[in-house]
Amino acid sequence: MRIGALAAQRGWVMATSGNFSAVISTAPLRVVVTPSGADKGALSPEALLEVDEHGAVIGPPATPSDEVPLHLGIVRRQGAGAVLHTHSRAATLLSRRHAAAHGLWLEDLEMLKALKGVRSHQHREWVPILDNLQDRPTLARALDQVLVEHPGAHAVLLRGHGLYAWGADLREALRHLEALEFMLDVLAQEA
Ligand SMILES: [Zn+2]
């Protein structure tokens, strides 16, 4: 709830966009996700849904975000405990500007040290960019392939769509999201 309010306040989840998830059990896999079409700035605990490893709703009866396959893919491939997805202006703009390169570099930024395992601003972080697809299962397979190719990635961008960030738990995922949105914002304003 706090994450939704924070993301809304910063303009990262406008017009009910964006979605969040958190793993509540690994065996069997159970993940709490935000419902489709909800205002992320006004989420109530009752609105959250629990899904299984296939994205099937366990309860309560409601429609989860159609991007759940992407969340589950990141949980599986990266061992993430939480996945946060935003539609910020900077992520949208940069994902279009750098689409031809299929990614962008974040470098020479002190804020890089907010990313897990990064100890110096001299770290170079590659953020892959994928083409956006409304066929979410196909998009999830493309995302999985990118994560196989870039196992050290902390985030990915979807072209003209937004940012996916994750972490071992919600706290780490939020730290990553805030740092990445900050760095993308800097980059967007520089060019
Ligand atoms: Zn989205």
Side-chain angles (χ1 to χ4, degrees), residues 16-19 65-67 70-71 85-87 132 136 139 158 161-164:
T16 76
S17 67
N19 34 72
S65 160
D66 71 345
E67 293 184 55
L70 283 76
H71 286 252
H85 168 55
T86 50
H87 288 200
N132 191 28
R136 303 307 197 197
L139 181 56
L158 301 180
H161 179 162
L163 173 71
Y164 268 88

mmCIF file with all atom_site columns, all heavy atoms in Angstrom, residues 16-19 65-67 70-71 85-87 132 136 139 158 161-164, ligand 1:
data_model
loop_
_atom_site.group_PDB
_atom_site.id
_atom_site.type_symbol
_atom_site.label_atom_id
_atom_site.label_alt_id
_atom_site.label_comp_id
_atom_site.label_asym_id
_atom_site.label_entity_id
_atom_site.label_seq_id
_atom_site.pdbx_PDB_ins_code
_atom_site.Cartn_x
_atom_site.Cartn_y
_atom_site.Cartn_z
_atom_site.occupancy
_atom_site.B_iso_or_equiv
_atom_site.pdbx_formal_charge
_atom_site.auth_seq_id
_atom_site.auth_comp_id
_atom_site.auth_asym_id
_atom_site.auth_atom_id
_atom_site.pdbx_PDB_model_num
ATOM   1   N  N   . THR A 1 16  ? -4.175 4.316   -13.541 1.00 0.00 ? 16  THR A N   1
ATOM   2   C  CA  . THR A 1 16  ? -4.264 2.922   -13.055 1.00 0.00 ? 16  THR A CA  1
ATOM   3   C  C   . THR A 1 16  ? -3.177 2.010   -13.637 1.00 0.00 ? 16  THR A C   1
ATOM   4   O  O   . THR A 1 16  ? -3.278 0.792   -13.564 1.00 0.00 ? 16  THR A O   1
ATOM   5   C  CB  . THR A 1 16  ? -5.654 2.262   -13.308 1.00 0.00 ? 16  THR A CB  1
ATOM   6   O  OG1 . THR A 1 16  ? -5.767 1.912   -14.699 1.00 0.00 ? 16  THR A OG1 1
ATOM   7   C  CG2 . THR A 1 16  ? -6.799 3.169   -12.901 1.00 0.00 ? 16  THR A CG2 1
ATOM   8   N  N   . SER A 1 17  ? -2.131 2.588   -14.240 1.00 0.00 ? 17  SER A N   1
ATOM   9   C  CA  . SER A 1 17  ? -1.075 1.755   -14.818 1.00 0.00 ? 17  SER A CA  1
ATOM   10  C  C   . SER A 1 17  ? -0.163 1.197   -13.721 1.00 0.00 ? 17  SER A C   1
ATOM   11  O  O   . SER A 1 17  ? -0.253 1.574   -12.562 1.00 0.00 ? 17  SER A O   1
ATOM   12  C  CB  . SER A 1 17  ? -0.253 2.580   -15.806 1.00 0.00 ? 17  SER A CB  1
ATOM   13  O  OG  . SER A 1 17  ? 0.461  3.592   -15.121 1.00 0.00 ? 17  SER A OG  1
ATOM   14  N  N   . GLY A 1 18  ? 0.743  0.312   -14.153 1.00 0.00 ? 18  GLY A N   1
ATOM   15  C  CA  . GLY A 1 18  ? 1.714  -0.276  -13.229 1.00 0.00 ? 18  GLY A CA  1
ATOM   16  C  C   . GLY A 1 18  ? 1.115  -1.430  -12.448 1.00 0.00 ? 18  GLY A C   1
ATOM   17  O  O   . GLY A 1 18  ? -0.112 -1.585  -12.369 1.00 0.00 ? 18  GLY A O   1
ATOM   18  N  N   . ASN A 1 19  ? 1.967  -2.281  -11.921 1.00 0.00 ? 19  ASN A N   1
ATOM   19  C  CA  . ASN A 1 19  ? 1.505  -3.375  -11.063 1.00 0.00 ? 19  ASN A CA  1
ATOM   20  C  C   . ASN A 1 19  ? 2.660  -3.877  -10.206 1.00 0.00 ? 19  ASN A C   1
ATOM   21  O  O   . ASN A 1 19  ? 3.819  -3.717  -10.562 1.00 0.00 ? 19  ASN A O   1
ATOM   22  C  CB  . ASN A 1 19  ? 0.851  -4.506  -11.870 1.00 0.00 ? 19  ASN A CB  1
ATOM   23  C  CG  . ASN A 1 19  ? 1.493  -4.697  -13.218 1.00 0.00 ? 19  ASN A CG  1
ATOM   24  O  OD1 . ASN A 1 19  ? 2.615  -5.188  -13.301 1.00 0.00 ? 19  ASN A OD1 1
ATOM   25  N  ND2 . ASN A 1 19  ? 0.831  -4.263  -14.287 1.00 0.00 ? 19  ASN A ND2 1
ATOM   26  N  N   . SER A 1 65  ? -3.711 -8.278  -12.812 1.00 0.00 ? 65  SER A N   1
ATOM   27  C  CA  . SER A 1 65  ? -3.095 -7.600  -13.950 1.00 0.00 ? 65  SER A CA  1
ATOM   28  C  C   . SER A 1 65  ? -2.745 -8.622  -15.023 1.00 0.00 ? 65  SER A C   1
ATOM   29  O  O   . SER A 1 65  ? -2.313 -9.738  -14.723 1.00 0.00 ? 65  SER A O   1
ATOM   30  C  CB  . SER A 1 65  ? -1.824 -6.904  -13.470 1.00 0.00 ? 65  SER A CB  1
ATOM   31  O  OG  . SER A 1 65  ? -0.996 -6.644  -14.574 1.00 0.00 ? 65  SER A OG  1
ATOM   32  N  N   . ASP A 1 66  ? -2.895 -8.241  -16.301 1.00 0.00 ? 66  ASP A N   1
ATOM   33  C  CA  . ASP A 1 66  ? -2.525 -9.177  -17.379 1.00 0.00 ? 66  ASP A CA  1
ATOM   34  C  C   . ASP A 1 66  ? -1.009 -9.318  -17.492 1.00 0.00 ? 66  ASP A C   1
ATOM   35  O  O   . ASP A 1 66  ? -0.511 -10.092 -18.297 1.00 0.00 ? 66  ASP A O   1
ATOM   36  C  CB  . ASP A 1 66  ? -3.160 -8.756  -18.714 1.00 0.00 ? 66  ASP A CB  1
ATOM   37  C  CG  . ASP A 1 66  ? -2.537 -7.487  -19.290 1.00 0.00 ? 66  ASP A CG  1
ATOM   38  O  OD1 . ASP A 1 66  ? -1.826 -6.777  -18.558 1.00 0.00 ? 66  ASP A OD1 1
ATOM   39  O  OD2 . ASP A 1 66  ? -2.779 -7.211  -20.476 1.00 0.00 ? 66  ASP A OD2 1
ATOM   40  N  N   . GLU A 1 67  ? -0.259 -8.575  -16.691 1.00 0.00 ? 67  GLU A N   1
ATOM   41  C  CA  . GLU A 1 67  ? 1.195  -8.667  -16.728 1.00 0.00 ? 67  GLU A CA  1
ATOM   42  C  C   . GLU A 1 67  ? 1.748  -9.653  -15.685 1.00 0.00 ? 67  GLU A C   1
ATOM   43  O  O   . GLU A 1 67  ? 2.962  -9.739  -15.483 1.00 0.00 ? 67  GLU A O   1
ATOM   44  C  CB  . GLU A 1 67  ? 1.818  -7.278  -16.564 1.00 0.00 ? 67  GLU A CB  1
ATOM   45  C  CG  . GLU A 1 67  ? 1.501  -6.393  -17.774 1.00 0.00 ? 67  GLU A CG  1
ATOM   46  C  CD  . GLU A 1 67  ? 2.170  -5.028  -17.732 1.00 0.00 ? 67  GLU A CD  1
ATOM   47  O  OE1 . GLU A 1 67  ? 3.398  -4.975  -17.607 1.00 0.00 ? 67  GLU A OE1 1
ATOM   48  O  OE2 . GLU A 1 67  ? 1.450  -4.017  -17.813 1.00 0.00 ? 67  GLU A OE2 1
ATOM   49  N  N   . LEU A 1 70  ? 4.726  -11.889 -16.555 1.00 0.00 ? 70  LEU A N   1
ATOM   50  C  CA  . LEU A 1 70  ? 6.052  -11.253 -16.505 1.00 0.00 ? 70  LEU A CA  1
ATOM   51  C  C   . LEU A 1 70  ? 6.586  -11.267 -15.071 1.00 0.00 ? 70  LEU A C   1
ATOM   52  O  O   . LEU A 1 70  ? 7.763  -11.545 -14.834 1.00 0.00 ? 70  LEU A O   1
ATOM   53  C  CB  . LEU A 1 70  ? 5.983  -9.821  -17.039 1.00 0.00 ? 70  LEU A CB  1
ATOM   54  C  CG  . LEU A 1 70  ? 5.911  -9.703  -18.571 1.00 0.00 ? 70  LEU A CG  1
ATOM   55  C  CD1 . LEU A 1 70  ? 4.530  -10.038 -19.104 1.00 0.00 ? 70  LEU A CD1 1
ATOM   56  C  CD2 . LEU A 1 70  ? 6.336  -8.339  -19.040 1.00 0.00 ? 70  LEU A CD2 1
ATOM   57  N  N   . HIS A 1 71  ? 5.706  -10.973 -14.122 1.00 0.00 ? 71  HIS A N   1
ATOM   58  C  CA  . HIS A 1 71  ? 6.109  -10.997 -12.714 1.00 0.00 ? 71  HIS A CA  1
ATOM   59  C  C   . HIS A 1 71  ? 6.597  -12.399 -12.327 1.00 0.00 ? 71  HIS A C   1
ATOM   60  O  O   . HIS A 1 71  ? 7.646  -12.556 -11.699 1.00 0.00 ? 71  HIS A O   1
ATOM   61  C  CB  . HIS A 1 71  ? 4.934  -10.600 -11.821 1.00 0.00 ? 71  HIS A CB  1
ATOM   62  C  CG  . HIS A 1 71  ? 4.625  -9.136  -11.867 1.00 0.00 ? 71  HIS A CG  1
ATOM   63  N  ND1 . HIS A 1 71  ? 4.892  -8.283  -10.822 1.00 0.00 ? 71  HIS A ND1 1
ATOM   64  C  CD2 . HIS A 1 71  ? 4.077  -8.369  -12.845 1.00 0.00 ? 71  HIS A CD2 1
ATOM   65  C  CE1 . HIS A 1 71  ? 4.522  -7.055  -11.150 1.00 0.00 ? 71  HIS A CE1 1
ATOM   66  N  NE2 . HIS A 1 71  ? 4.015  -7.083  -12.362 1.00 0.00 ? 71  HIS A NE2 1
ATOM   67  N  N   . HIS A 1 85  ? 6.511  -2.717  -11.085 1.00 0.00 ? 85  HIS A N   1
ATOM   68  C  CA  . HIS A 1 85  ? 6.436  -2.285  -12.484 1.00 0.00 ? 85  HIS A CA  1
ATOM   69  C  C   . HIS A 1 85  ? 5.760  -0.924  -12.569 1.00 0.00 ? 85  HIS A C   1
ATOM   70  O  O   . HIS A 1 85  ? 4.656  -0.752  -12.051 1.00 0.00 ? 85  HIS A O   1
ATOM   71  C  CB  . HIS A 1 85  ? 5.666  -3.332  -13.286 1.00 0.00 ? 85  HIS A CB  1
ATOM   72  C  CG  . HIS A 1 85  ? 5.272  -2.888  -14.649 1.00 0.00 ? 85  HIS A CG  1
ATOM   73  N  ND1 . HIS A 1 85  ? 6.179  -2.419  -15.571 1.00 0.00 ? 85  HIS A ND1 1
ATOM   74  C  CD2 . HIS A 1 85  ? 4.062  -2.831  -15.265 1.00 0.00 ? 85  HIS A CD2 1
ATOM   75  C  CE1 . HIS A 1 85  ? 5.542  -2.100  -16.684 1.00 0.00 ? 85  HIS A CE1 1
ATOM   76  N  NE2 . HIS A 1 85  ? 4.255  -2.331  -16.527 1.00 0.00 ? 85  HIS A NE2 1
ATOM   77  N  N   . THR A 1 86  ? 6.434  0.029   -13.203 1.00 0.00 ? 86  THR A N   1
ATOM   78  C  CA  . THR A 1 86  ? 5.909  1.392   -13.294 1.00 0.00 ? 86  THR A CA  1
ATOM   79  C  C   . THR A 1 86  ? 5.843  1.842   -14.755 1.00 0.00 ? 86  THR A C   1
ATOM   80  O  O   . THR A 1 86  ? 6.516  1.273   -15.627 1.00 0.00 ? 86  THR A O   1
ATOM   81  C  CB  . THR A 1 86  ? 6.837  2.359   -12.532 1.00 0.00 ? 86  THR A CB  1
ATOM   82  O  OG1 . THR A 1 86  ? 8.189  2.128   -12.958 1.00 0.00 ? 86  THR A OG1 1
ATOM   83  C  CG2 . THR A 1 86  ? 6.737  2.149   -11.036 1.00 0.00 ? 86  THR A CG2 1
ATOM   84  N  N   . HIS A 1 87  ? 5.030  2.853   -14.997 1.00 0.00 ? 87  HIS A N   1
ATOM   85  C  CA  . HIS A 1 87  ? 4.900  3.462   -16.330 1.00 0.00 ? 87  HIS A CA  1
ATOM   86  C  C   . HIS A 1 87  ? 5.327  4.928   -16.221 1.00 0.00 ? 87  HIS A C   1
ATOM   87  O  O   . HIS A 1 87  ? 4.534  5.825   -16.476 1.00 0.00 ? 87  HIS A O   1
ATOM   88  C  CB  . HIS A 1 87  ? 3.451  3.428   -16.804 1.00 0.00 ? 87  HIS A CB  1
ATOM   89  C  CG  . HIS A 1 87  ? 2.920  2.082   -17.185 1.00 0.00 ? 87  HIS A CG  1
ATOM   90  N  ND1 . HIS A 1 87  ? 1.815  1.927   -17.986 1.00 0.00 ? 87  HIS A ND1 1
ATOM   91  C  CD2 . HIS A 1 87  ? 3.323  0.829   -16.880 1.00 0.00 ? 87  HIS A CD2 1
ATOM   92  C  CE1 . HIS A 1 87  ? 1.558  0.637   -18.156 1.00 0.00 ? 87  HIS A CE1 1
ATOM   93  N  NE2 . HIS A 1 87  ? 2.458  -0.053  -17.483 1.00 0.00 ? 87  HIS A NE2 1
ATOM   94  N  N   . ASN A 1 132 ? 7.500  -4.080  -26.817 1.00 0.00 ? 132 ASN A N   1
ATOM   95  C  CA  . ASN A 1 132 ? 6.260  -4.314  -26.081 1.00 0.00 ? 132 ASN A CA  1
ATOM   96  C  C   . ASN A 1 132 ? 5.322  -5.200  -26.900 1.00 0.00 ? 132 ASN A C   1
ATOM   97  O  O   . ASN A 1 132 ? 5.281  -5.099  -28.118 1.00 0.00 ? 132 ASN A O   1
ATOM   98  C  CB  . ASN A 1 132 ? 5.591  -2.962  -25.802 1.00 0.00 ? 132 ASN A CB  1
ATOM   99  C  CG  . ASN A 1 132 ? 4.465  -3.067  -24.827 1.00 0.00 ? 132 ASN A CG  1
ATOM   100 O  OD1 . ASN A 1 132 ? 4.449  -3.949  -23.980 1.00 0.00 ? 132 ASN A OD1 1
ATOM   101 N  ND2 . ASN A 1 132 ? 3.504  -2.164  -24.929 1.00 0.00 ? 132 ASN A ND2 1
ATOM   102 N  N   . ARG A 1 136 ? 0.836  -11.208 -23.666 1.00 0.00 ? 136 ARG A N   1
ATOM   103 C  CA  . ARG A 1 136 ? 1.712  -11.213 -22.488 1.00 0.00 ? 136 ARG A CA  1
ATOM   104 C  C   . ARG A 1 136 ? 2.502  -12.509 -22.313 1.00 0.00 ? 136 ARG A C   1
ATOM   105 O  O   . ARG A 1 136 ? 3.668  -12.461 -21.914 1.00 0.00 ? 136 ARG A O   1
ATOM   106 C  CB  . ARG A 1 136 ? 0.914  -10.901 -21.219 1.00 0.00 ? 136 ARG A CB  1
ATOM   107 C  CG  . ARG A 1 136 ? 0.155  -9.567  -21.265 1.00 0.00 ? 136 ARG A CG  1
ATOM   108 C  CD  . ARG A 1 136 ? 1.020  -8.373  -21.634 1.00 0.00 ? 136 ARG A CD  1
ATOM   109 N  NE  . ARG A 1 136 ? 0.348  -7.117  -21.277 1.00 0.00 ? 136 ARG A NE  1
ATOM   110 C  CZ  . ARG A 1 136 ? 0.673  -5.921  -21.745 1.00 0.00 ? 136 ARG A CZ  1
ATOM   111 N  NH1 . ARG A 1 136 ? 1.674  -5.794  -22.610 1.00 0.00 ? 136 ARG A NH1 1
ATOM   112 N  NH2 . ARG A 1 136 ? 0.017  -4.843  -21.371 1.00 0.00 ? 136 ARG A NH2 1
ATOM   113 N  N   . LEU A 1 139 ? 5.385  -12.180 -24.544 1.00 0.00 ? 139 LEU A N   1
ATOM   114 C  CA  . LEU A 1 139 ? 6.271  -11.155 -23.981 1.00 0.00 ? 139 LEU A CA  1
ATOM   115 C  C   . LEU A 1 139 ? 7.052  -11.728 -22.788 1.00 0.00 ? 139 LEU A C   1
ATOM   116 O  O   . LEU A 1 139 ? 8.244  -11.461 -22.627 1.00 0.00 ? 139 LEU A O   1
ATOM   117 C  CB  . LEU A 1 139 ? 5.434  -9.939  -23.549 1.00 0.00 ? 139 LEU A CB  1
ATOM   118 C  CG  . LEU A 1 139 ? 6.186  -8.750  -22.959 1.00 0.00 ? 139 LEU A CG  1
ATOM   119 C  CD1 . LEU A 1 139 ? 7.265  -8.232  -23.909 1.00 0.00 ? 139 LEU A CD1 1
ATOM   120 C  CD2 . LEU A 1 139 ? 5.214  -7.614  -22.606 1.00 0.00 ? 139 LEU A CD2 1
ATOM   121 N  N   . LEU A 1 158 ? 10.412 -1.996  -21.067 1.00 0.00 ? 158 LEU A N   1
ATOM   122 C  CA  . LEU A 1 158 ? 9.587  -2.392  -22.201 1.00 0.00 ? 158 LEU A CA  1
ATOM   123 C  C   . LEU A 1 158 ? 9.371  -1.137  -23.044 1.00 0.00 ? 158 LEU A C   1
ATOM   124 O  O   . LEU A 1 158 ? 9.002  -0.080  -22.507 1.00 0.00 ? 158 LEU A O   1
ATOM   125 C  CB  . LEU A 1 158 ? 8.232  -2.946  -21.728 1.00 0.00 ? 158 LEU A CB  1
ATOM   126 C  CG  . LEU A 1 158 ? 8.280  -4.158  -20.795 1.00 0.00 ? 158 LEU A CG  1
ATOM   127 C  CD1 . LEU A 1 158 ? 6.869  -4.582  -20.426 1.00 0.00 ? 158 LEU A CD1 1
ATOM   128 C  CD2 . LEU A 1 158 ? 9.027  -5.314  -21.440 1.00 0.00 ? 158 LEU A CD2 1
ATOM   129 N  N   . HIS A 1 161 ? 6.553  1.617   -22.847 1.00 0.00 ? 161 HIS A N   1
ATOM   130 C  CA  . HIS A 1 161 ? 5.654  1.030   -21.851 1.00 0.00 ? 161 HIS A CA  1
ATOM   131 C  C   . HIS A 1 161 ? 6.102  1.347   -20.428 1.00 0.00 ? 161 HIS A C   1
ATOM   132 O  O   . HIS A 1 161 ? 5.425  2.090   -19.729 1.00 0.00 ? 161 HIS A O   1
ATOM   133 C  CB  . HIS A 1 161 ? 5.582  -0.480  -22.140 1.00 0.00 ? 161 HIS A CB  1
ATOM   134 C  CG  . HIS A 1 161 ? 4.718  -1.262  -21.210 1.00 0.00 ? 161 HIS A CG  1
ATOM   135 N  ND1 . HIS A 1 161 ? 4.244  -2.523  -21.513 1.00 0.00 ? 161 HIS A ND1 1
ATOM   136 C  CD2 . HIS A 1 161 ? 4.255  -0.996  -19.977 1.00 0.00 ? 161 HIS A CD2 1
ATOM   137 C  CE1 . HIS A 1 161 ? 3.515  -2.971  -20.507 1.00 0.00 ? 161 HIS A CE1 1
ATOM   138 N  NE2 . HIS A 1 161 ? 3.515  -2.064  -19.560 1.00 0.00 ? 161 HIS A NE2 1
ATOM   139 N  N   . GLY A 1 162 ? 7.255  0.841   -20.018 1.00 0.00 ? 162 GLY A N   1
ATOM   140 C  CA  . GLY A 1 162 ? 7.666  1.149   -18.645 1.00 0.00 ? 162 GLY A CA  1
ATOM   141 C  C   . GLY A 1 162 ? 8.821  0.311   -18.156 1.00 0.00 ? 162 GLY A C   1
ATOM   142 O  O   . GLY A 1 162 ? 9.526  -0.333  -18.934 1.00 0.00 ? 162 GLY A O   1
ATOM   143 N  N   . LEU A 1 163 ? 8.985  0.319   -16.849 1.00 0.00 ? 163 LEU A N   1
ATOM   144 C  CA  . LEU A 1 163 ? 10.137 -0.292  -16.179 1.00 0.00 ? 163 LEU A CA  1
ATOM   145 C  C   . LEU A 1 163 ? 9.697  -1.467  -15.302 1.00 0.00 ? 163 LEU A C   1
ATOM   146 O  O   . LEU A 1 163 ? 8.662  -1.386  -14.633 1.00 0.00 ? 163 LEU A O   1
ATOM   147 C  CB  . LEU A 1 163 ? 10.799 0.772   -15.285 1.00 0.00 ? 163 LEU A CB  1
ATOM   148 C  CG  . LEU A 1 163 ? 11.930 0.330   -14.360 1.00 0.00 ? 163 LEU A CG  1
ATOM   149 C  CD1 . LEU A 1 163 ? 13.199 0.002   -15.150 1.00 0.00 ? 163 LEU A CD1 1
ATOM   150 C  CD2 . LEU A 1 163 ? 12.242 1.421   -13.331 1.00 0.00 ? 163 LEU A CD2 1
ATOM   151 N  N   . TYR A 1 164 ? 10.484 -2.532  -15.311 1.00 0.00 ? 164 TYR A N   1
ATOM   152 C  CA  . TYR A 1 164 ? 10.346 -3.615  -14.340 1.00 0.00 ? 164 TYR A CA  1
ATOM   153 C  C   . TYR A 1 164 ? 11.595 -3.632  -13.464 1.00 0.00 ? 164 TYR A C   1
ATOM   154 O  O   . TYR A 1 164 ? 12.717 -3.707  -13.995 1.00 0.00 ? 164 TYR A O   1
ATOM   155 C  CB  . TYR A 1 164 ? 10.214 -4.983  -15.029 1.00 0.00 ? 164 TYR A CB  1
ATOM   156 C  CG  . TYR A 1 164 ? 8.786  -5.389  -15.295 1.00 0.00 ? 164 TYR A CG  1
ATOM   157 C  CD1 . TYR A 1 164 ? 8.146  -5.014  -16.466 1.00 0.00 ? 164 TYR A CD1 1
ATOM   158 C  CD2 . TYR A 1 164 ? 8.071  -6.126  -14.362 1.00 0.00 ? 164 TYR A CD2 1
ATOM   159 C  CE1 . TYR A 1 164 ? 6.825  -5.370  -16.697 1.00 0.00 ? 164 TYR A CE1 1
ATOM   160 C  CE2 . TYR A 1 164 ? 6.757  -6.489  -14.587 1.00 0.00 ? 164 TYR A CE2 1
ATOM   161 C  CZ  . TYR A 1 164 ? 6.141  -6.105  -15.753 1.00 0.00 ? 164 TYR A CZ  1
ATOM   162 O  OH  . TYR A 1 164 ? 4.837  -6.457  -15.973 1.00 0.00 ? 164 TYR A OH  1
HETATM 163 ZN ZN  . ZN  B 2 .   ? 2.583  -2.163  -17.733 1.00 0.00 ? 1   ZN  B ZN  1
#
